[in-house]
Amino acid sequence: MTANTNIPVATFDFHAREPYWQTRWAEKKVFEAPDIPPADKPKYYVLEMFPYPSGQLHVGHVRNYTLGDVVARYKRARGYAVMHPMGWDAFGLPAENAARERGVHPGKWTLQNIATMRGTLQRLGFSLDWKREIATCLPDYYGQQQKLFLAMLAAGLVERRDSSVNWDPVDQTVLANEQVVDGRGWRSGALVEKKTLSQWFLKITDFAEPLLDGLKTLDKWPERVRVMQERWIGRSEGAKVRFALHNPPPGYDADQNSVEVFTTRPDTLFGLSFIGIAADHPLARKVAENNAEAQAFIEECQRTGTSEEALSTMEKRGFDTGLCVVNPLDPSQTAPVWIANFVLTEYGTGAVFGCPCGDQRDLDFARKYGLEIPSVLLPTGQDEADFTLGKKAVTGDAVLYNSGFLSGKSTKEAIKAAITRLEELGVGEGVTNWRLRDWGISRQRYWGCPIPIIYCDDCGAVPVPEDQLPVTLPDDVTFETPGNPLDHHPTWKHVNCPKCGSAARRETDTCDTFVDSSWYFARFTSPKSATPTERKAVDGWLSVDQYIGGIEHAILHLLYARFFTRAMQKTGHLDVSEPFSGLFTQGMVTHESYSDDGQWLYPEEVEQRGDVVVRKDNGKIVKVGRSEKMSKSKRNTVSPVEIIERYGADTARWFVLSDSPPERDMEWTAAGVAASGRFMQRLYRLVQAVAEHDEASAEHGEAGDDLRRVTHRTIVAVTEALEGFSPNVAVARLHELASALGDAEGKAGAGLSAARREAAYVLIMLISPMMPHLAEELMLMLEPQGAMVVERTWPEADESLLAVRKVTIAVQVLGKLRGTVTCAPDAAKDDVLALAKAEPNVAKALVGKRIVKEIHVPNRIVNFVVAG
RNA sequence: GCGCGCUUGGCGGAAUGGUAGACGCACGAGACUUAAAAUCUCGAGUUCAAUACGAACGUGCGGGUUCAAGUCCCGCAGCGCGCACCA
């Protein structure tokens, strides 16, 4: 390093110096991770959820990546070999929309966006290993994904099956549930149809149990994410029960004229009131063949939307099929079969048995249609003689009665006994049911990873042979006609069957983009290898020690990634079972909104004037809305690029770390950013003064001890704050150290110079994860010949300076603070108590009182319990 | 409906059961300046007292445990998030 003789005078010139340091870091390759973790250091893999290249980085990204960068830089300083990569979740619909609306090719649009956003990330000075950058839309990546797909197919983890989908007849595409608004396609406005298509499924349900059990090992995940996943997987224990039809419709023989239901409460079978079947249950369809009313009811059920809103307001309705079943545990008992609009086809067997006394919904339904309501559950503590079922079903602790061999048993015992009997009778069995469904990944879209399959009339679905991979997307596609451009392409899909050589066609569906993000963390460990992973690299670096991202991915992305990891373990591509050992979910960045007569205004169009906010153009007072999630529609957005231009990267980084704990939402305020900018310049002046006035050769002396103690306590406090993911607390402690250094400025005394230099040095090191550019600049001033900050290690606190010379002890009388006394640390109890009693205000409070008990917590508190 | 989380000054927030309000923002006063900005210093929970010593109250509400509760336990309310006709 050369001495810098051109130190700027009073301010940190971030415009010039931030890019300078970014270049220096890149030259030294300090952020490049080795392919295989070194043996002499512990490894640490820190990863932030990679962005979709929408065009511009937003401040939510800045918060996310700054948090990750603080972790990465801190761990590096602590001696870890750090892996901190970045990439792009680059497939997806917005690129196709851009193509339709602006005529730009999705690939070109995406790559331009990546270039812009990469530039912004680089200006923020993140310690990323850019050598490992990946974009999921490039054949380098998605070709390997195709290999994974085929490996999973070979391992039996992929299946092709028919499935009912939302079909937009105008756009000729499948819509996700989220894209169906009021029964219409979100783009075309066309009435959405249910259509059965052949789709590729990943068998995530094969791993339902391990995925559930694995949650228990994830002790560094937020509790609520684990709970959400647990409920999503939705294990439920119960029984399948087959009810024989007393009067089956002619020609119906599905499973020997019976209806199979799933129940978690086989103990209440004697409380059978009715059987409810879903509108598209085979039996319902059979009934409808000869019954126009039934047909009409079924159609009505299917018309009702499946949106949450529709469901929550929907009335429970049913249609009596006239059919009747026999209770398998009591052949003398029969019950009617109803088609019910609240029974889901997709869950369980698409049929339920209604037990009104134990289930509120069943009770409401039975009452509404005047069905029989046998009472079989006696609430604990109630007497059979005087218990009558009212409006509320019995859902608490209860004992069975009126239930034959189950009578007198508790719910738990009765469930066991009922299942045993059902199995003996051959009419049912205990089963575990899961809410989790297999993952349909087929999408009728262009901008996604092609599914590497060829259809041959003779050979069926044939995997594309390895030597023909990757199956790349054709560039010459048009978006004028609705539907999948791959399907319209004149030549792309026409190929010969790899098996028999006869004319065949390619699969034109592409993968759901969630597939792309399900294994990118593994690919980062060998981003250019000719196989999906390199075992030494992937097994060495995984799992990700700290994964950081938004809570909105709590279920789908994180569950899919966990599934993929297990699937790749099975296909031999890696050997860990959980991808992310630590997870941190950060809050959103919010901003006030401004409106004038219903017209939304951008923050830069208004300014604060006294207590009001006015338009810059005409001075008119605008309405200030509450701080909420930034959105284009409310124009309450802030551009990171403008912030960097005006205040510098370090200010932006410091601001997003200040004040709010990272898991909570933070409010973006202009005043807050300006304050961060002022603090940055203050640090510059402080260290500049030290560098100019305090000789490096100075020695420590007594006058500097107070400052030294603050310095070393700050090391401990900031280290703890960063370990505990509380950068906001670290920021507060660093303000204190800066103030202490400021207070010591210009004072004379033996050792003060050395203490100031030490404080400045520590300050630089401790801010460096948050404000890395400023830290380098300050270090250059303080030690012009020294190494860069990124090459130095985290400071260690000197234990002898952590011990305090005096402690202030609070003195309470009956738990109320009456004064404080100062004494030596670990002073004898008797001395402290004597001192405490002598404190005037304490003495006053003790007058005329008898001390019953004296509590002394060393170095903390004295409490006199008094009477009288 | 079920589950989870949150509730502390004007605001963001801090606080291993041990001096509540650190630190910052906004605010006020002062210094510097021809002036402004920047910078620096000081003040500030509320009420009473206000020259001061101080006192009472105070972490959403009501209970409890404890010498001591923002923190632990029970109940309630409000807000937010997630899931939701899941049998």
Side-chain angles (χ1 to χ4, degrees), chain A residues 242-249 252 257-261 272-279 281-288 291 294 297 317-327 333-343 350-354 365 369 371:
Chain A
R242 284 177 291 281
F243 289 84
L245 281 163
H246 186 63
N247 51 343
Y252 182 78
N257 291 321
S258 68
V259 182
E260 190 176 57
V261 307
L272 172 67
S273 168
F274 62 92
I275 295 286
I277 59 175
H281 191 278
L283 185 56
R285 287 201 299 255
K286 185 74 197 169
V287 169
N291 187 330
F297 181 77
R317 297 183 54 217
F319 178 87
D320 188 355
T321 60
L323 301 173
C324 209
V325 295
V326 179
N327 189 338
Q333 198 187 2
T334 60
V337 177
W338 286 63
I339 302 169
N341 67 346
F342 60 81
V343 180
V352 301
F353 95 82
F365 188 82
Y369 289 106
L371 304 175

Side-chain angles (χ1 to χ4, degrees), chain A residues 388 548 603 607 685 843:
Chain A
T388 38
I548 308 172
E607 63 188 352
R685 287 190 301 273

Side-chain angles (χ1 to χ4, degrees), chain A residues 215-502:
Chain A
L215 290 172
K216 294 188 196 98
T217 67
L218 299 175
D219 56 344
K220 288 179 196 150
W221 278 40
E223 171 73 16
R224 64 169 172 152
V225 174
R226 293 202 308 245
V227 169
M228 279 159 76
Q229 293 217 351
E230 199 177 305
R231 289 170 68 95
W232 187 266
I233 296 168
R235 177 192 170 101
S236 90
E237 299 273 1
K240 275 188 178 172
V241 185
R242 284 177 291 281
F243 289 84
L245 281 163
H246 186 63
N247 51 343
Y252 182 78
D253 59 350
D255 283 351
Q256 284 134 28
N257 291 321
S258 68
V259 182
E260 190 176 57
V261 307
F262 172 74
T263 178
T264 55
R265 296 294 302 272
D267 56 316
T268 63
L269 269 167
F270 285 91
L272 172 67
S273 168
F274 62 92
I275 295 286
I277 59 175
D280 46 0
H281 191 278
L283 185 56
R285 287 201 299 255
K286 185 74 197 169
V287 169
E289 281 176 14
N290 302 309
N291 187 330
E293 269 182 84
Q295 182 60 34
F297 181 77
I298 289 170
E299 280 171 15
E300 202 184 319
C301 288
Q302 285 170 337
R303 266 201 305 278
T304 317
T306 52
S307 70
E308 284 182 22
E309 202 186 345
L311 291 176
S312 61
T313 56
M314 195 173 73
E315 196 188 347
K316 309 279 177 281
R317 297 183 54 217
F319 178 87
D320 188 355
T321 60
L323 301 173
C324 209
V325 295
V326 179
N327 189 338
L329 292 187
D330 178 7
S332 69
Q333 198 187 2
T334 60
V337 177
W338 286 63
I339 302 169
N341 67 346
F342 60 81
V343 180
L344 303 171
T345 319
E346 314 88 58
Y347 187 77
T349 61
V352 301
F353 95 82
C355 172
C357 70
D359 184 285
Q360 193 60 44
R361 191 193 52 206
D362 292 351
L363 182 60
D364 295 343
F365 188 82
R367 285 259 153 82
K368 176 169 175 178
Y369 289 106
L371 304 175
E372 264 186 68
I373 302 174
S375 186
V376 298
L377 286 167
L378 189 62
T380 306
Q382 290 261 5
D383 193 52
E384 191 175 328
D386 49 46
F387 171 71
T388 38
L389 191 65
K391 283 188 175 164
K392 294 272 173 206
V394 179
T395 51
D397 285 346
V399 174
L400 275 295
Y401 75 124
N402 296 336
S403 292
F405 69 99
L406 298 174
S407 292
K409 293 190 193 310
S410 71
T411 295
K412 207 175 158 189
E413 295 164 345
I415 288 176
K416 245 188 203 167
I419 290 174
T420 306
R421 180 66 61 91
L422 288 167
E423 287 175 352
E424 283 165 9
L425 294 170
V427 292
E429 54 274 323
V431 291
T432 302
N433 198 39
W434 303 86
R435 210 188 79 105
L436 188 67
R437 308 282 91 186
D438 277 334
W439 177 15
I441 58 158
S442 298
R443 298 289 182 270
Q444 293 67 42
R445 301 255 156 73
Y446 166 70
W447 196 234
C449 168
I451 295 173
I453 292 289
I454 292 168
Y455 296 105
C456 169
D457 288 340
D458 296 326
C459 310
V462 181
V464 173
E466 176 117 9
D467 61 5
Q468 292 175 30
L469 293 178
V471 176
T472 55
L473 290 167
D475 278 335
D476 52 337
V477 284
T478 56
F479 293 90
E480 280 88 62
T481 34
N484 182 353
L486 288 178
D487 204 27
H488 302 147
H489 193 277
T491 56
W492 186 77
K493 70 176 172 183
H494 301 293
V495 289
N496 292 330
C497 172
K499 263 193 189 165
C500 68
S502 59

Side-chain angles (χ1 to χ4, degrees), chain A residues 668-683:
Chain A
W668 185 284
T669 62
V673 181
S676 295
R678 286 200 299 273
F679 183 67
M680 180 172 77
Q681 297 298 358
R682 183 175 175 220
L683 291 177

Side-chain angles (χ1 to χ4, degrees), chain A residues 161-176:
Chain A
R161 63 175 99 116
D162 289 343
S163 129
S164 168
V165 295
N166 302 309
W167 180 256
D168 185 323
V170 172
D171 280 355
Q172 296 197 10
T173 184
V174 169
L175 298 176

